Amino acid sequence: MNSVKCYIWVVIYELRIEKMVQGGEGMARLPDGRVCFVQGGLPGELCQVEILQNKKDFTRGRVIKITEKSVDRAEPRCPLYGKCGGCSLQHLESSAQAACSALVERENFRRIAHVELPEDFKIHTGPAWGYRNRARVVIARAKSGKVSYGFRMQKSNGIIPFANCPVLTPALNAFLKENAAKIFEESIKASKRPPRNFELDVNLFDNGAGKVSYFYKGMPAADFEKNAVSVVEIAGKKIRSDASVFFQSNLSLLPELVTAVQNAVDEGIACGEASDAWLIDLFSGVGFFAAILKDKFKKITTVERDEGCLKHADFNLSADNVSAPAEDWLAENVVDVPATLIVDPPRTGLPPTALEAIVKSSVNRLIYVSCDPVTLARDFSRFRDAGFALKKAEGFAFYPQTPHLEMLFVLSR
Ligand SMILES: C[S@@+](CC[C@H](N)C(=O)[O-])C[C@H]1O[C@@H](n2cnc3c(N)ncnc32)[C@H](O)[C@@H]1O
């Protein structure tokens, strides 16, 4: 173990992977004590690791050979594994991913927020493949006239073509196969000239009930209602949205998150920490959570920055639906009753001024839905310093085969 081989430009170590860290890399230590983050390494494995990045405090590498394999190692299902950049955890058996994620998050919260996740911290799981009902793809036409489609590469702006993406729902894969060329032609007619580089970015949404909707910039307004708008039924409520705006991307598991949020709301009202006088849903998208909870409250405010969501929110619930940054709304509105507050910010977490305003308000209970446990941990430590405590934590495996996790925190003071 820990032997080193040096070729002209390549440095290779044999390393034992100690654990998985946030982002899905394995973590090992070099003989000099520096940490090495290892792409493709699983906890317990002994691997030959090629060093790709050599920094003063840490290094980065990739597995080139496995000497002792983990029992949880799986053969990646997708031929684009390692190329597309999307599903970097396919080398870990699907059935082992939630347990691994739970360990990663326990450590993440310990390290960033100095808090222990509750002993009963659970990650809800759903289908491991074919779950993703929302995607952004690029349809491209070669000079020969051949049309293909793929994902946009994160760093180079190139395209990774695919025929069948195993995490997309079967309906999305089938829709692309049948309609990519048609959508491309339609967009050319709409814009009266070929899109730049003969490429078209398209958002797709499968509503789980037989309709795939799509949107591209420049879609004629007359086609929008028919092609882009969709209705999803969740928890007995019909929710209107369209393919150009945010909507949750794992409809199979979404009902479990909805139930957890409903329970958190009911418990808050029952114990008196929150009230049914006012529901404030910040970062509300098309008014998703508020639309499901609307019958429980006397007054509702939803706040969402994307103006495209507003018409749907107005359709989904009769409430004070505001199109504004949440931090601006909080700066201009005094919350002086113990309202029920739900926040569901993007990966960046809460803007600091929004967080400060919540702390200064009369809100005593906060339901925080997060798609990034790192920013959740950061925000939690600020709330904790301001007197909030963690009441409940749950995880939702919305993105199997990737290191991403959805989480729900309930805080109170
Ligand atoms: C994770 S999504 C949640 C949406 C909604 N809660 C749902 O479940 O469908 C985050 C939403 O926050 C919106 N957003 C991002 N920054 C914002 C801000 N500063 N103020 C208000 N909304 C914001 C995004 O447009 C997006 O719709």
Side-chain angles (χ1 to χ4, degrees):
M1 194 167 117
N2 284 339
S3 60
V4 58
K5 292 178 189 168
C6 264
Y7 301 99
I8 299 177
W9 288 293
V10 185
V11 179
I12 295 167
Y13 286 95
E14 187 165 73
L15 302 175
R16 176 78 67 188
I17 309 292
E18 292 175 16
K19 58 188 172 186
M20 186 171 281
V21 293
Q22 197 75 42
E25 290 167 316
M27 195 209 94
R29 281 199 186 271
L30 297 191
D32 65 12
R34 279 180 305 162
V35 159
C36 182
F37 298 109
V38 183
Q39 285 168 26
L42 292 178
E45 287 184 333
L46 188 62
C47 307
Q48 289 194 9
V49 176
E50 179 189 347
I51 301 300
L52 302 172
Q53 195 183 15
N54 204 339
K55 295 275 184 191
K56 196 164 145 261
D57 302 330
F58 70 93
T59 60
R60 259 207 158 91
R62 70 177 177 108
V63 170
I64 51 168
K65 191 175 169 204
I66 305 164
T67 319
E68 285 175 28
K69 233 184 216 183
S70 162
V71 290
D72 292 327
R73 180 161 283 277
E75 194 54 43
R77 186 183 284 199
C78 179
L80 297 179
Y81 167 79
K83 295 182 192 135
C84 147
C87 296
S88 59
L89 225 55
Q90 288 181 60
H91 57 286
L92 175 58
E93 198 57 66
S94 300
S95 58
Q97 289 178 12
C100 203
S101 236
L103 289 177
V104 169
E105 294 321 331
R106 284 189 182 285
E107 176 150 339
N108 168 48
F109 281 90
R110 240 175 249 141
R111 191 173 55 83
I112 298 177
H114 311 293
V115 69
E116 279 302 319
L117 289 180
E119 250 175 53
D120 63 356
F121 172 67
K122 173 186 167 188
I123 297 185
H124 300 250
T125 55
W129 302 96
Y131 61 84
R132 198 178 166 90
N133 54 278
R134 191 169 149 256
R136 188 177 174 88
V137 300
V138 190
I139 303 178
R141 189 174 67 181
K143 285 199 177 120
S144 65
K146 187 174 177 288
V147 171
S148 61
Y149 47 86
F151 293 118
R152 180 78 67 197
M153 287 161 94
Q154 281 154 8
K155 287 180 187 150
S156 71
N157 216 29
I159 302 170
I160 295 274
F162 65 87
N164 186 74
C165 167
V167 296
L168 293 189
T169 61
L172 283 186
N173 277 310
F175 179 85
L176 273 169
K177 213 164 275 168
E178 280 163 34
N179 296 289
K182 193 190 100 197
I183 293 172
F184 194 88
E185 287 310 318
E186 179 191 299
S187 78
I188 288 177
K189 274 191 207 135
S191 64
K192 297 190 183 69
R193 64 188 165 86
R196 233 175 96 233
N197 301 331
F198 296 89
E199 289 173 7
L200 180 74
D201 289 87
V202 183
N203 291 356
L204 299 168
F205 182 74
D206 167 11
N207 76 346
K211 177 168 180 180
V212 172
S213 48
Y214 63 96
F215 173 80
Y216 53 84
K217 266 194 194 140
M219 174 178 274
D223 293 345
F224 188 82
E225 185 72 24
K226 176 167 70 90
N227 295 337
V229 171
S230 198
V231 173
V232 183
E233 190 165 347
I234 298 271
K237 299 274 190 313
K238 287 195 165 66
I239 299 176
R240 205 180 114 111
S241 184
D242 74 65
S244 77
V245 298
F246 177 89
F247 202 87
Q248 302 286 354
S249 57
N250 187 326
L251 292 182
S252 309
L253 203 48
L254 188 55
E256 294 198 29
L257 173 63
V258 165
T259 302
V261 170
Q262 280 171 326
N263 291 342
V265 165
D266 291 343
E267 283 160 18
I269 295 170
C271 74
E273 282 174 355
S275 82
D276 63 357
W278 192 5
L279 168 66
I280 305 171
D281 181 358
L282 299 182
F283 310 87
S284 52
V286 296
F288 180 71
F289 289 115
I292 287 166
L293 297 161
K294 61 186 173 187
D295 304 333
K296 296 178 192 282
F297 290 92
K298 299 191 175 78
K299 173 182 163 187
I300 300 179
T301 302
T302 73
V303 184
E304 161 62 47
R305 188 173 66 181
D306 183 346
E307 281 178 24
C309 289
L310 189 60
K311 57 185 176 297
H312 299 306
D314 285 342
F315 182 91
N316 290 331
L317 74 162
S318 113
D320 183 18
N321 296 313
V322 180
S323 182
E327 56 278 30
D328 293 0
W329 184 85
L330 283 162
E332 286 157 18
N333 291 272
V334 179
V335 182
D336 55 3
V337 294
T340 296
L341 178 60
I342 300 175
V343 299
D344 183 9
R347 287 212 170 128
T348 43
L350 287 175
T353 52
L355 196 148
E356 293 312 320
I358 293 169
V359 165
K360 284 192 189 128
S361 76
S362 298
V363 166
N364 292 325
R365 187 177 167 97
L366 172 65
I367 299 169
Y368 191 139
V369 179
S370 161
C371 52
D372 187 335
V374 172
T375 54
L376 176 62
R378 178 204 67 196
D379 290 350
F380 168 73
S381 39
R382 293 187 189 148
F383 280 116
R384 195 248 335 273
D385 294 348
F388 281 85
L390 179 57
K391 280 276 161 112
K392 186 172 267 179
E394 289 183 61
F396 299 84
F398 270 14
Y399 323 99
Q401 318 307 330
T402 83
H404 301 294
L405 185 70
E406 189 85 2
M407 286 185 82
L408 170 74
F409 259 32
V410 180
L411 312 181
S412 79
R413 61 178 167 186

